[in-house]
Amino acid sequence: MITFLSGGTGTPKLIQGFRDIIPDNQISIIANSADDIRIYGLYVSPDIDTIIYLLCNILDTEKFWGIKGDTFHTLEFLGNLGYETWFKIGDKDFSTHIFRTDQIKKGKKLSEITEKIRSNLKIKSRIFPSSDTHIETRIITSVGDDIHFQEFWVKGRGEIEIDKVYIKNIRDAKTPKMALQSIDDDQYVIIGPSNPITSIGPIINLKQIKSKLVKNRQRVIAISPIIGNSPISGPTARLMKTEGYVVSPVEIAKMYQDVCDTFIIDISDKELINPIERETGLTVLTANILFKDTTVAKDLATMILNKGKSL
Ligand code: GDP
């Protein structure tokens, strides 16, 4: 069994590659829940849903959110009713959020609801939210507004000037037991190539997850979401700079050095092997980590599985 720590784009691309070589029932995913947002009266968990749709083979893999071929009539009519409709949800996609919200109203935890969705949709992998407590990535803008990450990234198209990023409620947040158990039990744990500030940060900085990773760190492998001086997609660079980080695989290695043992960077960054090993003590491997198609992800998955045999 392999456990992945995942956001909603980079790591799901890697998981696609693993699915080509190992059965779904050998995969566990701890998905970031700090992107969660209450909108249109519903509770939406974007990263968990991307993982659910990926494992049902219905994910729109052009955008890495939503369901392939979905329509947007409900959203359009919500607009007619006066809602702002910047957060795009397709008609089928709405069903997942209606189900989740209804279950929350019935007193169920996010992990219980995710498990129900998983089993109702006959997904064989295990999926855990990183937190059962509602946690939320918030942005302080340069004019002092405190806004949800989705308002910065989706509504504001990442163009708003910002001063700070923080994760609301993270200090005492509770991780589902089964997620912690999978870190203890699985052959190894992969910190996927996801946004270090908004996807991986809110997972590895959860107290209970951090202590499990530290304890099992010789079985934890991380993959850089950055090649050269830039991320492949999303607001990673902008957010890292805001938080005072240099945008480079070296910095990512420093951020993860307490919670992993092996760090994989792109072949084109091979001159960074020595500096990273010297500064962090991690074992650094190189591979092609730009997933232009699933073959690249599959090759990386094969390399990791082969390495896994020696862990
Ligand atoms: P979000 O939840 O949609 O923000 O997605 P993630 O956090 O999972 O993914 C965004 C991060 O994935 C960014 O930092 C990207 O650089 C990284 N990413 C996207 N595609 C790739 C890829 O092909 N290879 C690698 N190594 N990283 C990628």
Side-chain angles (χ1 to χ4, degrees):
M1 295 283 295
I2 302 173
T3 294
F4 293 86
L5 310 189
S6 182
T9 308
T11 310
K13 287 186 195 171
L14 176 61
I15 294 171
Q16 281 183 312
F18 271 90
R19 292 184 77 209
D20 278 349
I21 51 176
I22 56 169
D24 281 1
N25 65 9
Q26 295 299 302
I27 293 174
S28 311
I29 296 139
I30 301 177
N32 170 42
S33 53
D35 274 4
D36 291 10
I37 182 167
R38 295 183 180 91
I39 194 157
Y40 314 130
L42 300 173
Y43 192 94
V44 180
S45 297
D47 289 352
I48 295 173
D49 292 339
T50 290
I51 294 295
I52 287 168
Y53 299 150
L54 174 79
L55 293 164
C56 285
N57 304 313
I58 56 171
L59 178 67
D60 182 334
T61 48
E62 296 291 309
K63 305 191 301 249
F64 266 84
W65 58 265
I67 294 174
K68 243 186 291 196
D70 211 351
T71 50
F72 288 83
H73 304 299
T74 310
L75 190 75
E76 200 181 310
F77 207 74
L78 280 173
N80 296 345
L81 290 169
Y83 276 95
E84 284 185 48
T85 55
W86 52 269
F87 195 84
K88 306 290 180 222
I89 296 179
D91 296 319
K92 287 186 191 166
D93 194 5
F94 261 113
S95 321
T96 309
H97 316 312
I98 292 169
F99 181 86
R100 177 180 293 116
T101 309
D102 187 37
Q103 295 288 315
I104 288 174
K105 285 193 186 135
K106 289 175 175 147
K108 300 287 183 207
K109 290 187 203 162
L110 193 54
S111 56
E112 294 170 320
I113 301 165
T114 308
E115 175 55 24
K116 243 187 198 171
I117 295 176
R118 187 197 74 81
S119 86
N120 290 354
L121 295 179
K122 304 192 171 27
I123 294 171
K124 297 200 176 73
S125 307
R126 302 185 307 164
I127 308 170
F128 312 111
S130 55
S131 167
D132 260 332
T133 311
H134 176 78
I135 57 172
E136 199 169 290
T137 303
R138 307 279 311 176
I139 305 271
I140 307 288
T141 69
S142 58
V143 294
D145 291 336
D146 183 338
I147 60 175
H148 194 290
F149 168 67
Q150 307 287 3
E151 287 179 274
F152 160 72
W153 180 236
V154 184
K155 185 179 182 186
R157 296 164 199 270
E159 288 162 7
I160 302 167
E161 291 297 316
I162 59 175
D163 268 1
K164 192 177 157 36
V165 187
Y166 74 99
I167 315 298
K168 189 174 166 185
N169 286 343
I170 193 163
R171 222 168 58 123
D172 299 314
K174 293 267 178 295
T175 295
K177 274 205 186 77
M178 298 282 282
L180 299 171
Q181 194 69 49
S182 75
I183 298 176
D184 265 341
D185 292 350
D186 284 1
Q187 191 191 355
Y188 44 104
V189 178
I190 295 179
I191 300 180
S194 283
N195 187 322
I197 308 286
T198 59
S199 297
I200 299 299
I203 303 178
I204 64 176
N205 290 316
L206 283 158
K207 243 188 273 167
Q208 294 165 296
I209 291 196
K210 181 163 238 163
S211 71
K212 289 287 180 201
L213 292 172
V214 169
K215 181 177 145 213
N216 293 293
R217 67 185 279 265
Q218 74 286 357
R219 289 189 286 109
V220 184
I221 301 169
I223 293 117
S224 177
I226 291 179
I227 299 176
N229 292 319
S230 38
I232 288 80
S233 61
T236 299
R238 186 80 199 284
L239 300 175
M240 283 184 77
K241 283 184 200 156
T242 300
E243 290 301 285
Y245 295 110
V246 178
V247 182
S248 123
V250 182
E251 198 84 354
I252 302 285
K254 287 194 213 156
M255 292 165 94
Y256 298 169
Q257 65 181 339
D258 295 337
V259 292
C260 67
D261 175 68
T262 302
F263 187 61
I264 305 180
I265 59 174
D266 196 69
I267 268 168
S268 60
D269 286 326
K270 61 178 182 306
E271 77 283 1
L272 298 177
I273 296 176
N274 286 338
I276 296 177
E277 291 196 332
R278 222 181 17 247
E279 285 197 48
T280 63
L282 297 175
T283 300
V284 180
L285 304 177
T286 58
N288 186 356
I289 62 164
L290 177 60
F291 309 130
K292 287 200 186 106
D293 52 51
T294 47
T295 326
V296 181
K298 185 178 167 183
D299 289 346
L300 179 57
T302 308
M303 178 185 127
I304 291 172
L305 286 176
N306 288 337
K307 165 165 175 56
K309 288 182 193 134
S310 63
L311 286 175

